[in-house]
Amino acid sequence: MSTTVQEAALPAPPAAEAAEVAEAAGPVEPADPPQAHPAPPRLRWLLLAVVTGASFLDSLDVNIVTVVLPAVQRDLGADFATAQWTLAGYALAFSLSLITGGRLGDIHGRKRVFLAGVAGFTLASAACGFAPNAELLVAARLVQGVAAALMVPQVMSVIVTLFRPKEWPVAFAVLGAALTLGSVGGPLLGGLLTGLDLFGLGWRAIFLVNLPLGLLITGLGARLLPENRHEGPPRLDLPGVALLTAAAFGLMYPLVQGREQGWPAWMLLPALAAPVLFLLFARHQRRRHARDGSALVPPPLFARRSFAAGLAVTLLAFTGIGSLALVLTYHLQYGLGWSVLRTALATAAWPVGIAVTFQIAWRHGTRRGRLFVGAGAAVMAAGSLLLTAAVRSAGAGLSWWQVAGAELVVGFGMGLCSPVLASVVLSEVPPQDSGAGSGVVNAVTQFGSAVGVAVVGAIFLAVTGGVAADAPDRIDRFCSATGATLWYNAGAFALTAALSRFLPGPARTPEDLADPSQGALA
């Protein structure tokens, strides 16, 4: 669902991929890394096309799915929880596997893990496209998320390893173009493919379109990519992965399935177990780090309060970002009866807004990152309030321009905020910890998206109450439910803007970065 790596921070919420390239380029310094082995000129640009193709697949798949979820639910006769798992399950699997995917690349070789990820992603896409029921679709989406977490972290490694530092800006620009194309084109392509109903496939075509590109990337990668791995001893924290996965699932499952199953008493058990498991995970990480330094999430990162506060801001922001498109899509298609293509055209204004402003943030936000994060979050809150007002006031007469205009404002805000957010959070992390820190930020970003979908979905379903398609008050109930959930999004963005003051200020000196006491909140 987004491009993300251990070596650099790339946030990946739905509709946010257009801004990720800026964060990818952020931490990179023009100095030859010790492991760099630049490839011949013609070959390395072909290799760049191969790895950015994988990033494009991930970016496209996130954005192409959201707009067709109502059609998927209708066709499979599924409940709303299935739609939530189709979107949030991918993000959850991706977030929990990101750091492990980067470590596996170090241990087993980045080429091998990259190819395994692309092949797995392609096979899982086929399984999604041919899924006969909702259960298999959700399972295939979870596999897709894990496969994406194997292939995506290797992309930055390939760029940094095979290109000379002076060529990095061009390589990052190409990566950014691929991400932007997937972000902007995803909703439009999803709406077009579903509307055309090619070969009677309907929504299934949005997954099957991945197959030719996935096969091409796998073939070219196997033939052309050189092998590269970390020379240190293999250290993979499998118990840490298991604890974190169990804790996250214990938190997510009741949120998504609770109302669908009538909140049985046993549903409280995973919810109560989740905080305990998170505490056990933290304790295990401290012990693992003290023993051999192989913790999945290195505890010293949190010695800097700016990093801990930054993670809280990131998590909060992306609970709003990751969930807004889901509720709006259901309101437009189920509530108002819009077509998939019309919905796609309206919601495409969001990534267009990102594309307009994210270069401004990247060029001028390096020294004013805290300001850009706060301002961008405030603009996103304003866009959400505009959307809330339009939904409540217009009712059944909601126009395309009202939706697109509000979505454009949200995109403007995200374009100001997203390109610098991870860089600001990581600004006081010492260089030797930047890889681990960026991996944690990326995982929190994806997890925030998954939690946001679950929380907002629960609010939405509670207010609509499972209204029937032919109910006389259907539109009124959808307007009430959408308005209520959009208040959550606006509140999350407004609180993000308020908490941005706790992010680090302008970049400090190397001496400051070496002293944890200087990591206090600015």
Side-chain angles (χ1 to χ4, degrees), residues 12-19 62-63 183 321 325 347 350-351 354 414:
E17 285 82 357
V62 172
N63 292 281
S183 180
I321 292 168
T347 55
W350 184 348
I354 295 173
M414 188 163 182

Side-chain angles (χ1 to χ4, degrees), residues 6 97-109 113 149 153-154 230 234-237 285 288 293-298 435-436:
Q6 278 188 292
S97 306
L98 269 172
I99 300 175
T100 302
R103 291 282 177 88
L104 288 173
D106 290 339
I107 295 169
H108 298 292
V113 175
Q154 319 311 324
H230 184 64
R235 295 180 299 178
L236 184 59
D237 184 9
Q285 294 302 283
R288 182 101 180 187
S294 63
L296 195 66
V297 180

Side-chain angles (χ1 to χ4, degrees), residues 45-275:
W45 294 110
L46 181 57
L47 292 174
L48 179 65
V50 172
V51 296
T52 55
S55 295
F56 170 76
L57 269 181
D58 174 55
S59 174
L60 179 72
D61 209 66
V62 172
N63 292 281
I64 204 173
V65 168
T66 305
V67 75
V68 302
L69 283 178
V72 174
Q73 184 181 342
R74 283 192 296 264
D75 186 50
L76 296 180
D79 52 28
F80 184 67
T82 298
Q84 288 178 274
W85 280 119
T86 303
L87 190 61
Y90 182 101
L92 182 62
F94 191 42
S95 68
L96 295 176
S97 306
L98 269 172
I99 300 175
T100 302
R103 291 282 177 88
L104 288 173
D106 290 339
I107 295 169
H108 298 292
R110 296 184 178 97
K111 174 181 179 178
R112 183 180 301 176
V113 175
F114 174 80
L115 293 177
V118 176
F121 190 91
T122 305
L123 290 173
S125 297
C128 289
F130 293 113
N133 54 52
E135 291 76 15
L136 287 178
L137 174 61
V138 170
R141 284 288 286 171
L142 292 171
V143 174
Q144 261 194 323
V146 173
L150 293 179
M151 70 179 184
V152 167
Q154 319 311 324
V155 173
M156 188 65 66
S157 298
V158 170
I159 291 177
V160 172
T161 301
L162 299 182
F163 283 80
R164 301 182 185 281
K166 65 181 180 181
E167 296 170 328
W168 287 350
V170 178
F172 292 138
V174 173
L175 176 61
L179 295 169
T180 302
L181 182 61
S183 180
V184 177
L188 299 177
L189 183 60
L192 185 62
L193 289 174
T194 304
L196 291 176
D197 193 22
L198 297 174
F199 307 108
L201 291 171
W203 59 267
R204 298 178 184 275
I206 70 168
F207 295 109
L208 299 178
V209 75
N210 295 337
L211 302 188
L213 183 56
L215 292 172
L216 179 62
I217 293 171
T218 302
L220 290 175
R223 182 178 180 85
L224 300 175
L225 275 174
E227 188 53 278
N228 182 273
R229 73 180 70 194
H230 184 64
E231 296 301 327
R235 295 180 299 178
L236 184 59
D237 184 9
L238 290 177
V241 173
L243 282 171
L244 185 59
T245 301
F249 187 79
L251 175 66
M252 290 287 294
Y253 189 81
L255 285 173
V256 176
Q257 294 290 156
R259 194 185 183 282
E260 294 282 354
Q261 299 186 16
W263 292 107
W266 65 264
M267 189 73 73
L268 294 176
L269 293 178
L272 294 174

